[in-house]
């Protein structure tokens, strides 16, 4: 019987055996890597934390967009329903406040200090 006749009846050649051994080694290596990954709790926790963080960021961005849209809608409603003379006066007040920012801040701080002093005296 020759080597050729043995391969025809199902006995693998040495080259085929080497390929099977190499293939089995590759599969075994992949299996070991997968088991090691499952056993690495710290790495799994990091992956889960990163996934949760990404989900939270996406939800935060979505909510921020919704709030921004609702705020713009509310501002437009107020602008549409407010009479023109009132809008004009509000614009003048805003300009005056921007022009006199330091005195307004000083007055606000003084008012806050006054309120805190009164509250402190009441609690005694």
């Amino acid at each position: 019987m020759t080597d050729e006749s043995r391969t025809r009846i199902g006995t693998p050649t040495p080259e085929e055996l080497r390929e099977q051994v190499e293939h089995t080694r590759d599969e075994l290596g992949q299996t070991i890597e997968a088991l090691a990954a499952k056993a690495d709790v710290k790495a799994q926790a990091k992956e889960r934390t990163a996934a949760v963080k990404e989900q939270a960021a996406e939800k935060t961005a979505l909510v921020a967009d919704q709030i921004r849209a609702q705020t713009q809608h509310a501002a437009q409603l107020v602008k549409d329903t407010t009479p023109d003379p009132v809008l004009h006066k509000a614009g003048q007040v805003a300009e005056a406040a921007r022009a006199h920012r330091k005195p307004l801040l000083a007055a606000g701080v003084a008012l806050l200090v006054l309120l805190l002093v009164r509250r402190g005296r009441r609690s005694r």
Side-chain angles (χ1 to χ4, degrees):
M1 227 187 224
T2 65
D3 284 340
E4 211 174 291
S5 63
R6 277 192 246 155
T7 57
R8 285 190 200 138
I9 58 173
T11 306
T13 64
E15 183 60 34
E16 290 173 334
L17 286 173
R18 284 186 198 98
E19 288 177 15
Q20 287 178 355
V21 167
E22 187 62 35
H23 180 72
T24 303
R25 283 182 184 157
D26 288 343
E27 286 181 347
L28 182 59
Q30 291 173 0
T31 302
I32 290 172
E33 287 177 8
L35 289 172
K38 283 186 176 183
D40 191 356
V41 176
K42 188 175 181 180
Q44 288 179 359
K46 283 183 179 180
E47 288 176 11
R48 182 71 181 134
T49 301
V52 169
K53 186 178 178 181
E54 185 177 328
Q55 286 176 346
E58 289 172 1
K59 287 182 181 180
T60 301
L62 180 64
V63 169
D65 289 343
Q66 290 173 345
I67 290 172
R68 194 174 301 112
Q70 289 175 352
T71 303
Q72 289 173 348
H73 179 68
Q76 190 62 43
L77 279 175
V78 168
K79 191 174 183 181
D80 292 345
T81 58
T82 304
D84 286 338
V86 174
L87 285 176
H88 182 70
K89 270 293 186 197
Q92 287 177 338
V93 168
E95 284 181 36
R98 282 189 212 103
H100 302 95
R101 195 172 283 181
K102 287 183 182 180
L104 285 173
L105 284 174
V109 169
L111 179 62
L112 181 63
V113 168
L114 176 68
L115 292 174
L116 290 174
V117 168
R118 279 185 71 197
R119 184 176 177 196
R121 287 185 181 170
R122 282 187 185 169
S123 64
R124 289 184 198 174

